[in-house]
Amino acid sequence: MATYNLTTPLTDEDIVQLKAGDVVNLTGTIYTARDAAHKKLIEALDKGEELPFELEGSVIYYVGPAPAPPGAAIGSAGPTTSGRMDAYAPRLHSLGVKASIGKGKRSQEVRDALQQYKGVYFGATGGAGALLSQRITDSEVIAYDELGPEAIRKLTVQDFPLLVVNDAHGAEQYAKPNYEL
Amino acid sequence: MKSIKAQDLHDAVRDMIMDACRILPDDVYGALQRALDEEESESAKEVLAQLIENADLARNTQLALCQDTGVAVFFVDYGEDVTIEGGNLEQVLNDAMVEAYDKGYLRKSMCDPLTRKNTGDNTPAVIHSHVVPGDSLKVKFMAKGGGSENMSRIAMLKPAQGWEGIKDFVVRTMAEAGPNPCPPTVVGVGIGGTFDLAPTLAKQALFRPLGERNTDPRVAAMEEELLAAVNDLGIGPMGLGGKTTSLDVKVEMHPCHIASMPVAVNVQCHSSRTKEVVL
């Protein structure tokens, strides 16, 4: 288990060194998108329209933050359940997205895409939204303002604490439950 | 007959909601601390330490504990000798909720199920009210997050499946949920009643303080057995492995039809945000 300090945009070299269980402190720019925003991104791709941010090397944070209290860059901002974005993630990885941040399990299709396109899935601590917001120094809505908490935001993060859950080599960090499913 | 001013109810409910979304209840905070003492794996300890630090930070700032400030769920015990002066219960609760979510910088999460268009003010609240004897009005509030709610399940078991069938369904539900509902969870279980009552019992169960057992010794024993079985899954905090998959399991039971055995599991995340006010 190693600790890495990485800066966005992420490269293939950044990604392939990471192993499930490693800790990453991420600095730079990340983009928020959750259910409704993903649907719009995919519709835009289908229509051949330009996307609101550059996908190459990008990191997508599955989050719908709470409104910012006075003096804060952002409100509480912890990860949402990633599985809901599984339908969209492989296509976005194929177009250059390097990592997503969320909580919970990913589908086999997403795990395959991480291997094929050199990507990782990071876990952040679910429910620690107040704590995580302290590592976000700037927040700006850049698309789909009408979606409210689901709008796409450009976030500036400093040492955002992440755990590699699924790496680009097929490994996963989650414990297998002692139950035959 | 006791008269309660609508404005007094509004103000009490608004303040309760803002506190509930920022201040982790003492029983939950204590349970996280005990879990931290008992865990051995580094990742489990790290997650629990972060959750405690998060609770301390939220308590001392205007930040919500979690960005998902949930569906506003109310359970109301409405004394039959009470009148609300200048408003009706449903309207007052919704108005107070709107003000709390706005003033408290809480996320509005309610939307149309098909168009997914946000209602913009977190309305409507989900309100369960019961008329009870007496002249007091008790309003219980829960900020119910979506990630954990999504992992909740109901089963119409066969009576022959008995306790073993119930236990298997609860454990299977939590095994399938895995890391998704932000473990360590709190698990509400409703056994009996009807297809609609069982999940309501399961949700009601989530209001009971952690560590407090059902007053029926038979049900209390079921809670202990289920808690041990869920923790034996080894899912651990955030699914990274460990002893603490759930902080507690709460069971509420109700008689049911001779042909039926409804069982509902309502999954709650570690941020088990509930609060009540009595007027």
Side-chain angles (χ1 to χ4, degrees), chain A residues 15-55:
Chain A
I15 297 297
V16 295
Q17 67 183 338
L18 300 175
K19 303 274 191 313
D22 286 346
V23 171
V24 169
N25 296 308
L26 188 67
T27 296
T29 300
I30 63 177
Y31 299 93
T32 74
R34 40 172 295 155
D35 308 61
H38 270 79
K39 190 160 182 256
K40 281 187 172 264
L41 286 174
I42 296 296
E43 282 167 2
L45 282 173
D46 287 343
K47 288 186 202 152
E49 293 168 3
E50 202 172 320
L51 295 190
F53 62 94
E54 171 64 44
L55 293 185

Side-chain angles (χ1 to χ4, degrees), chain A residues 97-109:
Chain A
V97 171
K98 285 284 127 197
S100 57
I101 303 169
K103 54 132 175 147
K105 289 177 286 194
R106 306 312 302 262
S107 67
Q108 191 57 49
E109 288 75 16

Side-chain angles (χ1 to χ4, degrees), chain A residues 64 78 103 105 125 178-179, chain B residues 50 67 107 168 176 180 232:
Chain A
K103 54 132 175 147
K105 289 177 286 194
T125 300
N178 299 316
Y179 188 94
Chain B
Q50 282 185 20
Q67 75 287 343
R107 195 183 80 187
D168 181 67
E176 283 173 352
N180 289 14
D232 279 346

Side-chain angles (χ1 to χ4, degrees), chain B residues 58-140:
Chain B
R59 180 188 285 269
N60 298 323
T61 64
Q62 286 180 292
L63 290 162
L65 282 155
C66 176
Q67 75 287 343
D68 184 358
T69 46
V71 175
V73 178
F74 294 99
F75 278 81
V76 183
D77 290 341
Y78 200 146
E80 60 193 358
D81 298 325
V82 170
T83 58
I84 298 173
E85 190 187 323
N88 73 75
L89 179 71
E90 202 167 305
Q91 194 61 49
V92 174
L93 294 185
N94 271 298
D95 287 350
M97 188 266 288
V98 168
E99 193 187 347
Y101 275 69
D102 191 42
K103 285 201 166 152
Y105 307 99
L106 309 178
R107 195 183 80 187
K108 293 112 183 163
S109 304
M110 299 297 273
C111 71
D112 181 286
L114 292 180
T115 65
R116 310 308 294 180
K117 186 173 163 41
N118 198 295
T119 65
D121 57 8
N122 217 47
T123 56
V126 173
I127 302 168
H128 304 270
S129 66
H130 307 274
V131 175
V132 297
D135 64 355
S136 68
L137 185 65
K138 183 194 275 189
V139 182
K140 296 196 270 189

